[in-house]
Amino acid sequence: MLQQNILDQLKQFIETVSSGHTNPQLLTKPSLIKLALGFLDELPATRDIVFDYFGILAEIGVQLYVSPEMMDQKTGMPVSQIKQGGNRQQQLRAEEYESFNMVKTSLQNLVWKGPPAWSPLIANWSLELVAKLSDKYTQRRMTITASCNYWLECSAMHGLLTLINSCFRKLSNTEAESCVETMLNAFHRYPMTFDWIVARLGGCFPYKIIMQILQCGIKRFVEDYRCHLDSEAGILDYMTSCHEQQLCAAFREMLKDGLSPKKPLDVAIVPFLLITTNYSDAILQSLVNVFIEIFTDDMCDAIVQKAPLWLSNKMFADMQPSLNNAVLRLNQHGAKLLLMVSSMAEKYVWCQDFLDSSMQELEQWVLNMRNFPLLADLAFEETKYMLWKSCLSTNLLEQQTAVRLLLVVSSQHPHIYYQTISQLLRKSYAQHPSTIGALMRLLGGQSGVLNFPSITKGFKMALEDITLQEQVNNRLPMEPGTPTEAYNTFYNLNMLAKMQKKNHFPHVKPQLLTQSLNECLPKIIQILDCTIQKLVLKMDKDAAERSAEKFKLQQANNNNNNNNHDMYNSNDVIKRPKLEESDVTNVTLESQDAARMRLAHLIVDLLNNIEAGARSNVLRTPLVLKLAVLSVKYFFVGLTEQTVIRRAAAAHRSYALLQRQCTARKIARTVCLRELVESALFYHGHLLGQLEEYELDELKIPEQELLILQNLHTSSGTNSNRSVLHSGIIGRGLRPVLPTNNQSCDAEKQALYLKALNACCTDLDKPNNVEGYSLVSLTLVELVSTDVMYNGLPFPDEEFTRVTMERDMQIRRAFITSPVLWAVLGLIATHRPALCYSSVLLRALCATCLHHWRGKNVNKYQPTAVNDELMLCTKKLLQLLAMSQLIPPPLANLHTIIEHFEAPEIAVLLRECIWNYLKDHVPSPALFHVDNNGLHWRNTSQAKVAPQYVDTLRQLMQKKLNKLGPHYHQMFIMSDLHVANPIPIPAATIAEPTTAIAKTSIEVVELD
């Protein structure tokens, strides 16, 4: 009875389904669906009829989905999403639309809980049904992504795909192979409408599906090389988003077969893959990732060997233009690929062609301001460092390719341009000079691009980094002799500046480099300041150590106690030096000082090359003053160089820097001259032969042992009004005697110093201007003379010298301890009338010499040595007065014969001849007149000197005619004849010797 009932239900079911094609509402009744589902359990033989019915239900749902009446006219949304808010007609048919959901739920339970045989059956049925429905109801061609979004909104199609996915999870390997074959067969039958299904379901078997799709595509490509591979490429592109690893694995296997072909189809693999990349950027990116991963040098030779086989394919032979822009479509490894090609371009012509075409198109896109994926790859940090490394390559094609890529990305990312300039500036190009071409090309910028970044910020970035390195000594340990980044930077900047000066820098606009570096002048001066300060500290430290050694030696000699303990050590035992103060440490410090010295030379060279401080450059006053001070400090630092050639080179650098500043700005001249004079007298006099005076602190006498404190103990009581002589050694014994300077001032360093003064004083616009020398004269008076009173030009009565005796002695002592003062006065004397402003110094020297010669009358038998300090001082004084024309002939020749007179005679000559003449003829600029060449000159040959100034000299010389006969004839007889019969001299003839004297005056180094 039960079987008869089921058969009746089956008969009724068949009749209803057969007659219900025109009545969807009848077929979608839930009772009928439940009945059909029951047949699957009770009558398995009816499954074909039941599955056909289920197919009809799915088709009804698809028909309603694509029907215009079931779409919202405003939003275009399907009925499944608007059934709650749609019109009445849509709400009535919503049940028909979603009728397949009951079937999907039941079949899904059957797959998960039923026998395993149901899974492949339902999977194959669902695949066939989805393929037919998609092909039948697809109205227009869409992309895979759009097709997925469109069909997955359909309830029936979504349910079928869910069923297929559930079935795939329950399949065995053999069953899975069969289903994949079924799916691919459907893809062959419906390639235009089934691709989205393959792409959507490919995630269940990604590697298998990808390999099968690739194999299918290769077969089609071999059969017809003009075939369209949109479906295959679309599937691969869709699967790339979630299954990129499987796609790369498939590409890896295929490339191995393509580069080592064993089957006929393998020859077409590489052309097929390259053509497929034209359809999708994602496929191209994955293929490039795999290629870069497996690429070796041997592979390049294999590519060259197999290229003729690939070129036999006409499609591949014509696709080179499409390959040229392939690099522009890469989000990753694009720059790396171009660098790989550029490294092989010298060996293979096709690499060079590909590189040229790709770079031209890339630059064209930049000029057209178009965006492209490669730009993002170029902006990555890893890519940036890789390009910097390639910029230092000896392969010129690779180097220039890296530079062009950096210029391309710099147009959109200016900070990369600045960082690249900073990075390349700090590299050393000593081993491979050709690699500096990358820096030169980079500074030229990208031609044709509007608002391209300026090179100034790149320079500032590099200089800022160097400033931090120089100020904070936290650099990584380096091998001795390795150039620092600061050295490399200024060496490269010097080279670039010299090349632009010689017009050998075609990539950069004229004067652009110089202008940019002048804008960076504050940073450069800051680095120079830091470097010079360290060198000055080292120089002062060395000078202090040498002074301490001399002091200890002199102290021991004065006390005649060489065997006693060292007064600086509390213990008698001489301690060994600590192990930390090793020779290695000293060598390291010396190498650092040598490196700083080289850096200072390079910075000053750069300042000269860019003409820093010139009148055309606008500088703030603090910067002008700082540059002037640093220029003088550099000059003195340069005097510490070990060889004559190095000292001369450093001095000439400073001359150019000083002269340019002093000519451009008066304030710079004032500062430079003052710094030069002050440093020579007070700070760095040891470089110019200055004698060392020991201060009280250097005696290191404890405060409680000072004599003034010892006397306080006996200043009270019955003996308070008496003097008490203490026995023993007071303090540390005898005060060290000031050592005599046996050797004269270093003539070489003195000459360099005088040339530095002359460079500051010389005015290029007005060659005969003596304003600078007058400023030096006034500065000497200010620094040497300790009293602001009685500093006028006139010489007072000889009795008045008693008032200024102390001041005069201090001035005389300054000339003893600083012999360079004589040389400076000699330089001033040759540029008349500048020495007139130093009248107070001349007066002090003359007064002290006069009193000292008088003092020698006490012992008439005391001989006077030729090299005696008093004799030398007197001769130099007379020579200065003669050179400056402050005394006329025959007094001007007195310095040549003064050594032949006795001490009383010299005292008389200084008082009667020199002092009285200067008292009556005030050393003033009014004594000189200006000739046609602008030179100051005093023509003393046309005016006879009054007898009271020369009679004393005449009488003393007459007493010693046997020694001074020739001098007497020249000084008196010839001069009298010349005055009696003057020979007219044309003005032009007078001008010539004055000019010659002015030109040769710079060569005066030391007074004899």
Side-chain angles (χ1 to χ4, degrees):
M1 185 67 183
L2 181 61
Q3 295 293 335
Q4 185 64 34
N5 188 17
I6 293 177
L7 293 175
D8 292 341
Q9 291 177 356
L10 178 60
K11 182 178 179 181
Q12 184 182 0
F13 172 75
I14 293 173
E15 291 177 354
T16 302
V17 173
S18 301
S19 61
H21 288 291
T22 58
N23 189 3
Q25 294 180 354
L26 181 63
L27 295 177
T28 57
K29 287 183 178 180
S31 58
L32 188 61
I33 297 174
K34 292 179 180 180
L35 182 62
L37 292 173
F39 290 153
L40 291 178
D41 293 333
E42 298 176 2
L43 295 174
T46 61
R47 63 185 181 185
D48 293 337
I49 299 175
V50 173
F51 279 116
D52 289 342
Y53 169 65
F54 290 160
I56 293 173
L57 292 179
E59 188 171 2
I60 290 173
V62 173
Q63 287 178 350
L64 290 175
Y65 179 75
V66 299
S67 175
E69 63 177 338
M70 297 303 291
M71 304 292 291
D72 187 4
Q73 300 298 325
K74 295 182 180 179
T75 62
M77 298 173 65
V79 68
S80 61
Q81 297 185 16
I82 62 169
K83 61 181 180 180
Q84 299 298 330
N87 55 37
R88 183 172 181 78
Q89 180 65 23
Q90 293 174 345
Q91 292 179 1
L92 291 175
R93 305 206 65 179
E95 186 177 354
E96 301 176 17
Y97 173 72
E98 297 183 355
S99 60
F100 189 76
N101 287 342
M102 186 183 300
V103 176
K104 180 204 70 170
T105 304
S106 300
L107 292 179
Q108 198 169 13
N109 291 332
L110 190 62
V111 169
W112 288 105
K113 300 178 181 179
W118 282 110
S119 297
L121 177 65
I122 296 175
N124 290 328
W125 169 78
S126 300
L127 285 172
E128 291 290 342
L129 182 59
V130 168
K132 291 178 182 179
L133 294 177
S134 177
D135 184 68
K136 182 177 181 180
Y137 291 101
T138 298
Q139 299 175 355
R140 68 181 187 277
R141 177 66 175 163
M142 293 184 291
T143 62
I144 291 181
T145 304
S147 297
C148 288
N149 293 335
Y150 177 76
W151 285 117
L152 290 179
E153 290 291 335
C154 177
S155 178
M157 297 293 274
H158 187 275
L160 287 172
L161 292 177
T162 305
L163 272 176
I164 296 172
N165 194 10
S166 300
C167 292
F168 281 172
R169 294 174 182 269
K170 302 290 289 185
L171 296 177
S172 62
N173 292 334
T174 306
E175 293 170 344
E177 293 288 345
S178 176
C179 288
V180 170
E181 185 178 355
T182 302
M183 185 166 55
L184 293 178
N185 290 334
F187 175 67
H188 288 306
R189 293 197 308 271
Y190 314 108
M192 306 298 292
T193 57
F194 195 73
D195 52 358
W196 71 272
I197 302 172
V198 177
R200 185 68 183 177
L201 298 176
C204 298
F205 313 100
Y207 184 74
K208 293 180 181 179
I209 295 297
I210 290 172
M211 287 298 294
Q212 292 295 331
I213 293 297
L214 290 174
Q215 293 294 338
C216 294
I218 292 174
K219 292 178 182 178
R220 289 184 58 207
F221 180 71
V222 171
E223 294 173 359
D224 182 13
Y225 67 90
R226 296 186 182 277
C227 65
H228 294 283
L229 301 173
D230 300 276
S231 298
E232 289 84 350
I235 295 171
L236 297 176
D237 182 41
Y238 187 85
M239 295 186 68
T240 303
S241 58
C242 297
H243 308 286
E244 185 178 2
Q245 293 183 356
Q246 288 78 6
L247 181 63
C248 290
F251 282 157
R252 194 178 295 109
E253 291 296 327
M254 296 199 70
L255 280 176
K256 289 181 180 179
D257 295 337
L259 296 175
S260 301
K262 298 178 181 178
K263 296 180 291 186
L265 287 179
D266 292 347
V267 178
I269 289 178
V270 174
F272 165 75
L273 292 178
L274 291 177
I275 290 175
T276 307
T277 58
N278 289 333
Y279 293 89
S280 169
D281 292 346
I283 297 175
L284 173 64
Q285 185 64 64
S286 300
L287 183 61
V288 170
N289 292 344
V290 173
F291 176 76
I292 289 179
E293 179 184 346
I294 66 174
F295 178 79
T296 60
D297 295 336
D298 298 335
M299 187 181 293
C300 188
D301 297 332
I303 292 174
V304 174
Q305 293 176 2
K306 303 300 185 298
L309 297 177
W310 303 335
L311 291 174
S312 61
N313 187 296
K314 297 182 180 179
M315 188 71 177
F316 180 74
D318 297 336
M319 70 175 297
Q320 185 176 355
S322 63
L323 286 177
N324 291 336
N325 67 350
V327 183
L328 278 68
R329 296 156 46 203
L330 294 175
N331 286 312
Q332 296 178 352
H333 301 307
K336 189 172 184 179
L337 181 63
L338 286 172
L339 292 177
M340 288 171 56
V341 174
S342 64
S343 63
M344 301 182 296
E346 291 184 351
K347 188 175 180 181
Y348 304 106
V349 179
W350 60 272
C351 289
Q352 189 169 356
D353 294 339
F354 172 77
L355 184 65
D356 291 342
S357 303
S358 300
M359 293 304 300
Q360 288 177 7
E361 189 163 356
L362 174 62
E363 292 172 349
Q364 190 63 40
W365 280 33
V366 173
L367 292 177
N368 296 335
M369 303 181 68
R370 296 174 59 184
N371 198 4
F372 47 91
L374 180 61
L375 199 60
D377 176 43
L378 295 175
F380 286 157
E381 286 291 319
E382 295 180 0
T383 306
K384 180 177 64 177
Y385 285 104
M386 179 180 62
L387 292 175
W388 289 349
K389 184 178 180 181
S390 297
C391 286
L392 303 177
S393 173
T394 55
N395 188 331
L396 294 181
L397 286 175
E398 180 182 355
Q399 177 193 122
Q400 293 302 315
T401 300
V403 173
R404 293 170 72 179
L405 291 175
L406 286 169
L407 290 174
V408 166
V409 70
S410 298
S411 61
Q412 300 293 330
H413 303 277
H415 70 279
I416 296 181
Y417 186 65
Y418 307 142
Q419 292 174 356
T420 305
I421 293 177
S422 174
Q423 189 73 16
L424 295 185
L425 269 178
R426 290 180 285 168
K427 298 297 181 181
S428 175
Y429 303 99
Q431 294 183 354
H432 305 287
S434 61
T435 53
I436 199 175
L439 178 60
M440 297 170 59
R441 177 65 183 86
L442 187 73
L443 295 178
Q446 184 75 18
S447 58
V449 178
L450 298 177
N451 300 325
F452 194 78
S454 172
I455 63 176
T456 305
K457 291 185 178 180
F459 288 158
K460 289 182 178 180
M461 184 178 295
L463 295 174
E464 185 67 32
D465 293 341
I466 294 172
T467 304
L468 294 176
Q469 292 180 7
E470 292 298 317
Q471 290 179 344
V472 184
N473 294 324
N474 59 350
R475 290 173 293 182
L476 295 176
M478 301 174 62
E479 295 182 3
T482 304
T484 61
E485 290 187 351
Y487 179 85
N488 293 336
T489 299
F490 284 100
Y491 183 85
N492 296 332
L493 288 175
N494 265 309
M495 184 180 296
L496 296 175
K498 290 177 182 177
M499 293 177 66
Q500 190 181 46
K501 238 180 178 180
K502 298 177 182 178
N503 296 326
H504 293 166
F505 204 164
H507 303 290
V508 180
K509 298 178 180 178
Q511 302 303 320
L512 176 62
L513 182 65
T514 303
Q515 293 174 3
S516 299
L517 289 175
N518 275 294
E519 292 179 18
C520 302
L521 194 58
K523 290 291 181 185
I524 298 175
I525 293 178
Q526 187 177 1
I527 297 172
L528 179 62
D529 184 20
C530 181
T531 306
I532 292 294
Q533 291 297 340
K534 293 179 180 179
L535 291 173
V536 170
L537 289 176
K538 178 64 169 57
M539 179 176 63
D540 293 342
K541 179 182 177 182
D542 294 343
E545 291 177 355
R546 289 193 299 268
S547 176
E549 290 296 329
K550 291 181 181 179
F551 172 76
K552 291 166 63 175
L553 227 74
Q554 191 68 27
Q555 181 78 18
N557 293 335
N558 289 343
N559 292 334
N560 295 321
N561 195 14
N562 295 330
N563 297 325
N564 289 349
H565 66 278
D566 191 349
M567 67 179 180
Y568 296 104
N569 297 329
S570 58
N571 299 326
D572 294 335
V573 180
I574 299 177
K575 296 181 180 180
R576 293 185 179 180
K578 295 182 180 180
L579 294 177
E580 288 79 7
E581 300 175 359
S582 59
D583 294 338
V584 178
T585 305
N586 295 333
V587 171
T588 303
L589 294 176
E590 290 177 1
S591 64
Q592 291 180 357
D593 295 333
R596 291 193 187 102
M597 183 68 78
R598 292 194 298 270
L599 177 60
H601 294 333
L602 283 176
I603 297 176
V604 175
D605 276 337
L606 179 63
L607 294 176
N608 287 330
N609 288 328
I610 65 175
E611 297 184 355
R615 187 174 293 148
S616 58
N617 299 330
V618 179
L619 299 178
R620 296 180 180 271
T621 302
L623 196 63
V624 173
L625 300 179
K626 192 171 186 179
L627 181 59
V629 172
L630 289 177
S631 302
V632 175
K633 287 184 178 180
Y634 169 75
F635 168 75
F636 284 100
V637 167
L639 293 182
T640 61
E641 284 282 13
Q642 300 298 323
T643 63
V644 177
I645 297 177
R646 290 181 181 177
R647 287 194 293 269
H652 280 82
R653 294 187 190 99
S654 60
Y655 297 160
L657 191 59
L658 291 169
Q659 189 172 35
R660 184 169 55 253
Q661 295 178 76
C662 296
T663 302
R665 297 171 178 85
K666 288 187 177 181
I667 186 174
R669 171 179 290 171
T670 303
V671 173
C672 289
L673 289 175
R674 175 171 286 275
E675 286 294 322
L676 279 171
V677 177
E678 278 189 358
S679 299
L681 295 180
F682 305 117
Y683 306 124
H684 311 301
H686 59 276
L687 298 174
L688 301 172
Q690 187 179 46
L691 299 182
E692 299 172 357
E693 293 188 86
Y694 306 109
E695 300 177 357
L696 179 64
D697 295 340
E698 293 182 357
L699 298 176
K700 295 189 177 180
I701 301 175
E703 185 176 358
Q704 67 273 12
E705 296 184 14
L706 291 177
L707 182 62
I708 188 172
L709 295 180
Q710 296 294 328
N711 288 335
L712 292 178
H713 297 296
T714 58
S715 61
S716 60
T718 56
N719 296 326
S720 60
N721 58 345
R722 300 180 182 180
S723 298
V724 179
L725 299 177
H726 297 276
S727 61
I729 297 176
I730 300 175
R732 292 288 182 247
L734 295 176
R735 188 179 183 87
V737 179
L738 192 65
T740 57
N741 194 7
N742 297 327
Q743 56 181 4
S744 60
C745 177
D746 190 348
E748 177 224 344
K749 293 181 180 179
Q750 179 179 296
L752 297 177
Y753 177 72
L754 293 181
K755 288 182 180 179
L757 285 175
N758 188 72
C760 295
C761 297
T762 302
D763 193 343
L764 299 179
D765 299 333
K766 301 176 181 178
N768 296 325
N769 189 7
V770 294
E771 180 181 353
Y773 301 98
S774 301
L775 183 60
V776 175
S777 183
L778 294 172
T779 305
L780 285 177
V781 172
E782 179 183 349
L783 298 177
V784 177
S785 178
T786 59
D787 194 351
V788 296
M789 297 182 65
Y790 313 118
N791 283 343
L793 302 183
F795 273 57
D797 292 335
E798 191 262 336
E799 294 294 330
F800 187 77
T801 57
R802 299 176 181 177
V803 178
T804 60
M805 180 59 67
E806 184 179 0
R807 194 266 311 270
D808 294 344
M809 294 298 294
Q810 290 181 353
I811 293 175
R812 170 76 176 281
R813 185 172 181 82
F815 277 82
I816 295 174
T817 57
S818 299
V820 73
L821 281 174
W822 291 109
V824 176
L825 288 181
L827 176 66
I828 298 173
T830 57
H831 295 82
R832 292 170 286 273
L835 191 63
C836 295
Y837 301 105
S838 294
S839 176
V840 62
L841 304 182
L842 301 177
R843 188 166 70 242
L845 292 172
C846 189
T848 54
C849 289
L850 177 59
H851 289 300
H852 286 174
W853 285 117
R854 281 178 179 167
K856 287 187 176 292
N857 291 336
V858 177
N859 187 1
K860 298 184 178 180
Y861 301 100
Q862 181 181 359
T864 302
V866 178
N867 293 329
D868 182 65
E869 188 275 330
L870 180 59
M871 178 61 73
L872 292 177
C873 180
T874 306
K875 290 176 65 175
K876 290 177 181 179
L877 173 64
L878 295 174
Q879 188 178 3
L880 282 175
L881 296 174
M883 290 170 58
S884 59
Q885 291 188 328
L886 293 181
I887 54 176
L891 299 180
N893 297 330
L894 184 58
H895 66 278
T896 60
I897 61 173
I898 192 68
E899 58 189 16
H900 297 288
F901 296 102
E902 301 297 333
E905 296 172 344
I906 296 176
V908 172
L909 289 174
L910 289 178
R911 184 184 70 251
E912 299 296 335
C913 300
I914 303 300
W915 188 276
N916 290 338
Y917 180 83
L918 293 176
K919 181 185 69 173
D920 297 337
H921 301 78
V922 179
S924 169
L927 297 175
F928 301 84
H929 72 275
V930 183
D931 62 7
N932 296 332
N933 295 322
L935 292 174
H936 293 77
W937 188 257
R938 184 181 180 188
N939 192 359
T940 57
S941 60
Q942 296 183 359
K944 187 176 181 180
V945 183
Q948 65 267 25
Y949 305 123
V950 296
D951 285 347
T952 303
L953 176 60
R954 185 194 303 270
Q955 294 171 4
L956 291 176
M957 290 184 70
Q958 287 175 353
K959 295 179 181 179
K960 300 183 178 183
L961 285 178
N962 56 342
K963 293 183 179 179
L964 304 178
H967 295 284
Y968 183 85
H969 181 268
Q970 180 183 1
M971 294 168 60
F972 291 99
I973 298 176
M974 294 298 296
S975 60
D976 292 343
L977 293 175
H978 180 72
V979 172
N981 301 311
I983 302 174
I985 303 175
T989 309
I990 296 175
E992 289 179 1
T994 59
T995 306
I997 292 175
K999 290 182 179 179
T1000 58
S1001 60
I1002 301 175
E1003 303 299 329
V1004 177
V1005 175
E1006 185 178 6
L1007 296 177
D1008 296 332

